[in-house]
């Protein structure tokens, strides 16, 4: 049957140092409900953390009460052949050694009280060993010079044991044990730290082995078994923080080793508490290897969690309480160790059993071990010889035939060989004397065997203990009282543990399922994280691509800017960027309209009809003119709105209307334009403009008509986005920047015969306007020698500007 590890918490009082420092107690112990409450460690508000254990002892509680309430049950179990372990756990200076010292004292009293008051049938063999684990090395505390020899070994029958000559002393009473323990304590490593004047620097393990042999009857006639209970009393070194203990040098090294092994113990506790076949890392330290049977093994185990009440130790206290609470979930399977192979008492038991068999049987094989057999044989030989002689004499004295004599001798021989009784007919004389002789022999044999058995018993007596205080009635009464009390206590502890475990396991079950869910979530999170990384990578690639494209656009802009005429608003790309707004509906940027530096023109005056020069192209509508009107009236949007409705009528009007641009261009207008050209010429003289004022670079291929408009250049040709299917509705306003799609690429322009034949004269006159219309409208690919700078001569400009009418015919933009 499984049984959980019992856990008791013990809180020591505030020590003088802590009182002096004004530390506050943050621990409340309720012995009745076996609860320990740790007030909010951070000092914040709240009810604190409550932990329930199998027993809880406050600062006023004595080690005696702790022993009587929880410790003695384990010791009693050891007396009955179980393995038991009691270990004190906690941070440095919290009272582990203090508790274990008192515990050991009471344990020894208890054990020897039990053995001494036991019946005469019970024989006990008590063996004591004391070792320490110092810096992960085993050292015998009962003798010197074994530190490098002792090793831990595992055996399927014996469990974990110490090989290499650990001293195991046969002890007879508590006083002898106490003397040995004190001797061991003197050898144990201890040193002063800031937190404890006598801090243990090693884990100490005191082991008391108790072998029990019950002799049911005086002559050991019935089968007896040997039981062996082994009790480990472990005083662990305390966990410590270097900053607080001020450990340096050897102390620091010891602290590191202590903390490592304690963390291994913590891991073993956690793994065992989690259960479900989880790997238990026993092999991580010598301490956990040694305690293997005690944690999750066949032992009955008590953990005493020692805590400090001080608020400055609250963090360590919380950690101790957590481990202690976890340890309560560990399940052991205690079993009585019967007939262990290596038990000393077993050897005596075997000898006694052999003697018993010898007494009970006449087996000839047994007689080999005794000198009687030879004696017997010689007796029989003599007897036989005497018989033969008697028969011969009888034959001689009587008249028996030879045949009869032969027969009688043959029968005698058979009787001798088989050991059977002599044929009564053949031994009428000696029959009675032979039976008496047999009986005498048998009696001799029995006496000899009894003597051997007594000898074994004497040897057993010498080694073992038991029943010494049989005559002490008071002690026997006390023992009996304790035994009964412990029986009741054991069952009470077990039932309360089961109750506790019920709720503990309920909560634990919930925790397990939550843990499983968390594990699943963690897996999912991992997957999502991987997906997120993938997405991030693809976004990064996309972003890089976009940034590069943006860079390309910027580079193109930078390359284009020098080709724009001075005063063109799009020269200030930063301003354009700042003013541009994103239009969700259109899904594109709305460029600022009011950036254009518009030169106000005088209002058009109507001229007599006959003086009006019509547009050279009458077959196509003059969109620019139309738009100019729109711009002048500042009513472009309305116009655009009604554009579709008025398409037909405005087309007709345009054909009929006089070209109002003619009226714009008078002398002052021409002067302005010339000034502008001159300004352009001087702009970026060494770089972009030719001597004639033209740009060295050609306008990029695919220049948008918007861009042309934004240059404030005026084309006399309509801007056609679809040359094959031109529709008047596709007219574009030129005085303003319109966010209209449509690029006028080279092909489009080349297709447009009208454009070729009638290049916008004013554009030709401006420095950045590409020349060579007659040779094909090439914006981008024209060799620099043929670019507009070569063709744009001052003469041409002069010619053009002198001729007002010609100029006006082509320059319709009201922005000039
Ligand atoms: N319950 C207690 N009542 C009174 N004094 C106590 C109690 N527990 C501990 N002390 C005192 O506190 C001091 C430190 O105790 P102890 O040496 O047992 O601590 P420890 O946990 O063994 O420390 P370390 O791990 O460093 O060995 C000692 O002086 C001890 O007498």
């Amino acid at each position: 049957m499984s049984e959980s590890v019992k856990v008791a918490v013990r809180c020591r009082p505030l020590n003088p140092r802590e009182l002096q420092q004004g530390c506050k107690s943050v621990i409340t112990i309720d012995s009745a409900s076996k609860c320990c409450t740790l007030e909010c460690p951070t000092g914040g508000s709240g009810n604190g953390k409550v932990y329930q254990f199998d027993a809880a002892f406050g600062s006023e509680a004595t080690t005696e009460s702790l022993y009587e309430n929880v410790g003695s049950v384990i010791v009693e179990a050891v007396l009955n052949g179980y393995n038991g372990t009691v270990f004190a756990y906690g941070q440095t200076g919290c009272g582990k050694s203090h508790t274990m010292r008192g515990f050991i004292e009471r344990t020894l009293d208890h054990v020897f009280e039990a053995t001494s008051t036991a019946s005469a049938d019970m024989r006990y063999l008590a063996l004591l060993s004391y070792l320490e684990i110092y810096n992960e090395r085993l050292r015998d505390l009962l003798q010197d010079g074994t530190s490098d020899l002792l090793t831990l070994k595992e055996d399927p029958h014996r469990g974990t044991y110490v090989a290499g000559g650990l001293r195991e002393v046969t002890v007879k009473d508590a006083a002898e044990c106490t003397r040995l323990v004190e001797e061991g304590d003197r050898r144990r490593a201890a040193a002063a730290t800031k937190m404890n004047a006598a801090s243990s620097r090693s884990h100490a393990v005191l082991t008391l082995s108790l072998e029990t042999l019950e002799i049911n009857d005086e002559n050991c006639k019935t089968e007896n078994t040997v039981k062996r209970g082994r009790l480990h009393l472990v005083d662990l070194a305390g966990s410590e923080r270097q900053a607080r203990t001020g450990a340096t040098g050897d102390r620091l090294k010891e602290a590191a080793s202590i903390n490592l092994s304690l963390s291994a113990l913590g891991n073993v506790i956690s793994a065992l508490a989690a259960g479900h076949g989880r790997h238990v890392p026993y092999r991580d330290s010598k301490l956990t290897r040694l305690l293997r049977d005690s944690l999750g093994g066949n032992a009955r185990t008590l953990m005493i969690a020692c805590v400090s009440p001080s608020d400055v130790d609250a963090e360590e206290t919380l950690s101790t309480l957590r481990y202690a609470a976890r340890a309560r979930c560990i399940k052991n399977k205690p079993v009585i160790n019967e007939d262990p192979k290596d038990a000393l008492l077993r050897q005596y038991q075997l000898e006694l059993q052999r003697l018993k068999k010898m007494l009970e049987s006449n087996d000839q094989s047994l007689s080999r071990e005794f000198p009687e057999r030879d004696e017997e044989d010689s007796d029989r030989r003599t007897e036989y010889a005497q018989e033969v002689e008697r028969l011969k004499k009888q034959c001689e004295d009587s008249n028996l035939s030879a045949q009869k004599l032969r027969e009688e001798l043959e029968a005698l021989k058979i009787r001798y060989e088989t050991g059977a009784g002599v044929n009564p007919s053949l031994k009428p004389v000696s029959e009675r004397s032979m039976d008496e002789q047999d009986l005498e022999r048998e009696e001799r044999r029995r006496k000899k065997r009894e003597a051997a058995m007594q000898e074994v018993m004497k040897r057993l007596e010498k080694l073992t203990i038991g029943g010494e205080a049989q005559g002490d009635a008071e002690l026997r009464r006390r023992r009996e009282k304790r035994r009964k009390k412990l029986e009741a206590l054991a069952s009470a502890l077990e039932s309360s543990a089961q109750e506790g475990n019920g709720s503990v396991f309920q909560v634990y079950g919930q925790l397990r399922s939550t843990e499983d869910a968390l594990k699943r979530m963690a897996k999912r999170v991992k997957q999502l994280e991987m997906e997120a990384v993938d997405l991030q990578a693809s976004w990064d690639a996309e972003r890089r691509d976009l940034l590069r494209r943006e860079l390309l656009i910027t580079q193109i802009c930078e390359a284009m800017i020098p080709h724009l005429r001075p005063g063109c608003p799009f020269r200030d790309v930063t301003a354009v960027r700042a003013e541009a707004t994103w239009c969700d509906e259109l899904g594109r940027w709305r460029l600022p309209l009011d950036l254009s530096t518009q030169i106000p023109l005088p209002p058009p005056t109507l001229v007599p009809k006959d003086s009006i020069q019509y547009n050279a192209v009458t077959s196509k509508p003059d969109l620019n003119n139309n738009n100019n009107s729109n711009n002048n009236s500042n009513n472009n949007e309305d116009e655009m709105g009604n554009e579709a409705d008025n398409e037909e009528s405005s087309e007709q009007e345009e054909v009929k209307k006089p070209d109002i641009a003619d009226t714009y261009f008078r002398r002052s207008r021409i002067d302005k334009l010339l000034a502008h050209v001159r300004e352009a010429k001087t702009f970026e003289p060494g770089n972009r403009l030719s001597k004639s004022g033209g740009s060295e670079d050609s306008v990029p291929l695919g220049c948008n008509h918007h861009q042309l408009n934004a240059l404030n250049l005026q084309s006399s040709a309509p801007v056609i986005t679809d040359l094959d299917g031109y529709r008047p509705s596709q007219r574009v306003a030129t005085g303003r920047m319109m966010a209209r799609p449509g690029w006028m690429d080279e092909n489009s322009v080349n297709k447009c015969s009208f454009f070729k034949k009638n290049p916008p004269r004013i554009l030709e006159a401006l420095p950045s306007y590409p020349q060579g219309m007659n040779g094909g409208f090439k914006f981008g690919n024209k060799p620099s020698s043929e670019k507009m700078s070569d063709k744009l001569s001052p003469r041409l400009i002069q010619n053009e500007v002198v001729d007002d009418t010609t100029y006006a015919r082509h320059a319709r933009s009201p922005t000039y």
Side-chain angles (χ1 to χ4, degrees), residues 10-13 15 58-63 89-101 188 190-191 193 195-202 235-240 258 306-307:
R10 184 182 196 189
C11 179
R12 66 161 169 79
N15 62 32
S59 54
E60 71 295 335
T62 59
T63 308
Y89 179 90
Q91 73 165 124
T92 183
C94 61
K96 296 181 298 295
S97 303
H98 176 88
T99 301
M100 288 315 292
R101 266 195 291 273
R188 189 179 174 192
T193 67
M195 291 187 74
N196 188 358
S199 175
S200 313
R201 313 310 293 163
S202 65
D235 176 18
L236 295 176
S239 56
E240 56 186 58
I258 290 167
C306 296
V307 291

Side-chain angles (χ1 to χ4, degrees), residues 141-334:
L141 292 175
L142 297 184
Q143 61 181 334
D144 295 318
T146 56
S147 57
D148 293 328
L149 302 173
L150 302 183
T151 51
L152 282 176
K153 295 253 159 95
E154 270 120 40
D155 180 271
H157 301 294
R158 291 177 67 182
T160 307
Y161 67 96
V162 181
L166 178 71
R167 188 177 170 211
E168 272 194 302
V169 184
T170 309
V171 283
K172 299 227 160 188
D173 52 36
E176 192 180 353
C177 291
T178 308
R179 192 181 49 74
L180 287 167
V181 170
E182 283 170 1
E183 186 188 321
D185 281 343
R186 280 196 292 276
R187 286 196 177 93
R188 189 179 174 192
T193 67
K194 274 190 197 169
M195 291 187 74
N196 188 358
S199 175
S200 313
R201 313 310 293 163
S202 65
H203 309 300
V205 184
L206 179 78
T207 305
L208 181 70
S209 272
L210 201 69
E211 293 177 12
T212 315
L213 174 68
E214 190 174 358
I215 303 167
N216 293 330
D217 56 83
E218 241 177 63
N219 294 321
C220 293
K221 280 180 188 154
T222 51
E223 190 83 359
N224 299 309
T225 53
V226 172
K227 293 180 202 162
R228 181 175 63 198
R230 193 171 263 169
L231 178 66
H232 293 306
L233 300 172
V234 187
D235 176 18
L236 295 176
S239 56
E240 56 186 58
R241 278 194 277 164
Q242 193 268 338
R244 296 192 64 200
T245 55
T248 52
D250 279 352
R251 298 294 83 78
L252 190 61
K253 208 173 134 197
E254 289 159 2
S257 171
I258 290 167
N259 287 341
L260 262 179
S261 56
L262 287 176
S263 110
L265 178 63
N267 292 341
V268 165
I269 290 174
S270 299
L272 286 168
H276 294 275
R278 244 176 84 168
H279 167 69
V280 184
Y282 288 114
R283 299 195 66 83
D284 284 2
S285 78
K286 290 224 162 67
L287 177 68
T288 47
R289 282 179 71 191
L290 202 65
L291 294 180
R292 189 181 185 128
D293 291 339
S294 316
L295 297 167
N298 61 6
R300 291 191 143 166
T301 303
L302 168 68
M303 173 183 187
I304 305 172
C306 296
V307 291
S308 149
S310 169
D311 53 351
V312 291
D313 294 328
E315 212 175 300
E316 284 88 349
T317 302
L318 182 63
S319 165
T320 302
L321 292 176
R322 276 189 187 142
Y323 275 113
R326 241 176 263 177
R328 266 193 103 198
C329 298
I330 298 175
K331 283 274 173 190
N332 285 357
K333 282 196 178 129

Side-chain angles (χ1 to χ4, degrees), residues 216-224 351-367 370 372 442-443 445-450 453:
N216 293 330
D217 56 83
E218 241 177 63
N219 294 321
C220 293
K221 280 180 188 154
T222 51
E223 190 83 359
N224 299 309
E351 204 168 335
L352 282 172
Q353 278 174 354
R354 191 173 59 82
L355 287 169
K356 266 194 290 178
K357 276 185 188 161
M358 281 165 59
L359 280 172
E360 285 164 5
S361 117
N362 284 325
D363 189 348
Q364 289 183 5
S365 62
L366 292 174
S367 64
F370 295 92
E372 303 156 75
E442 203 51 46
E443 186 58 27
R445 265 184 241 145
R446 205 177 63 77
K447 277 185 181 159
K448 276 182 187 172
R449 285 167 196 166
E450 271 180 8
M453 204 154 137

Side-chain angles (χ1 to χ4, degrees), residues 187 191 202 214 221 249 278 299 387 438 589 611 628 636 687 730 760 762 784 813:
R187 286 196 177 93
S202 65
E214 190 174 358
K221 280 180 188 154
R278 244 176 84 168
E387 189 65 27
D438 278 351
W589 290 94
S611 67
N628 288 343
N636 187 36
N687 187 16
Q730 287 174 301
I762 187 66
S784 62
S813 170

Side-chain angles (χ1 to χ4, degrees), residues 548-812:
R548 281 177 189 158
R549 273 193 238 169
E550 161 79 8
L551 193 65
L552 174 68
I553 301 291
T554 311
Q555 277 177 272
I556 291 171
C557 282
E558 279 170 4
M560 280 178 70
I561 285 168
H563 299 282
L564 304 182
R565 115 184 126 61
C568 168
F570 280 88
R571 290 191 75 115
D572 189 0
V573 178
T574 319
V576 175
R577 277 179 189 276
E579 293 294 321
T581 51
W582 175 256
C583 177
D584 271 334
E585 283 168 24
L586 296 172
R588 56 185 296 151
W589 290 94
R590 209 193 290 278
L591 298 179
L593 298 177
D594 52 354
L595 277 176
S596 317
T597 317
Q598 296 186 350
I599 301 167
L601 292 176
T605 51
L606 284 172
V607 290
K609 210 174 181 186
D610 53 1
S611 67
I612 293 169
Q613 289 198 15
Y614 289 92
N615 193 314
V617 183
T618 51
S619 57
K620 295 269 180 188
D622 189 342
L623 299 179
N624 293 325
N625 186 31
N626 192 26
N627 287 329
N628 288 343
S629 314
N630 294 341
N631 286 335
N632 281 340
S633 63
N634 272 338
N635 205 14
N636 187 36
E637 280 172 24
D638 293 346
E639 281 289 322
M640 290 297 286
N642 297 325
E643 204 173 46
D645 301 338
N646 300 330
E647 264 174 19
E648 293 283 317
S649 57
S650 62
E651 198 176 328
Q652 287 164 8
E653 266 174 39
E654 277 164 20
V655 176
K656 290 172 196 168
K657 262 192 209 166
D659 190 347
I660 57 166
D662 288 348
T663 60
Y664 287 172
F665 295 92
R666 296 196 178 86
R667 197 69 227 172
S668 61
R669 171 77 176 156
I670 292 165
D671 289 346
K672 272 185 192 172
L673 284 169
L674 280 173
H676 207 82
V677 170
R678 270 184 225 111
E679 185 192 329
K681 267 175 148 183
T682 53
F683 185 73
E684 293 184 3
N687 187 16
R688 294 293 179 185
L689 296 181
S690 68
K691 274 181 250 169
S692 58
S695 170
E696 300 272 331
D697 296 327
S698 51
V699 175
L701 190 71
C703 179
N704 194 315
H705 65 275
H706 296 153
Q707 290 166 302
L708 287 171
N709 289 337
L711 293 173
N712 286 353
L713 301 180
Q714 187 61 58
S715 165
S716 61
V719 176
I720 301 164
T721 52
D722 180 358
L723 289 168
D724 297 331
Y726 168 75
R727 282 177 289 119
S729 60
Q730 287 174 301
R731 282 172 288 175
V732 179
T734 53
R736 286 168 180 249
M737 288 177 292
M738 298 295 290
R740 282 275 186 103
W743 288 80
M744 191 163 75
D745 61 12
E746 189 180 0
N747 287 340
S748 310
V749 172
N750 284 337
K751 275 188 214 168
C752 178
S753 57
F754 164 76
F755 207 102
K756 281 184 197 172
K757 282 178 198 161
N758 303 283
R761 302 295 298 277
I762 187 66
L763 291 181
E764 285 177 324
L766 291 174
S768 58
Y769 186 76
Q771 298 298 295
M773 291 303 222
N774 294 333
F777 192 84
K778 284 227 166 194
F779 275 155
N781 302 330
K782 207 163 169 70
S784 62
S785 58
E786 289 180 37
K787 285 181 185 171
M788 59 182 175
S789 56
D790 299 331
K791 298 199 172 185
L792 189 69
S793 66
R795 188 197 56 78
L796 178 65
I797 297 167
Q798 192 65 28
N799 285 346
E800 292 296 309
V801 296
V802 166
D803 185 355
D804 252 6
T805 326
T806 317
Y807 194 88
R809 225 180 8 245
H810 299 293
R812 305 278 161 85

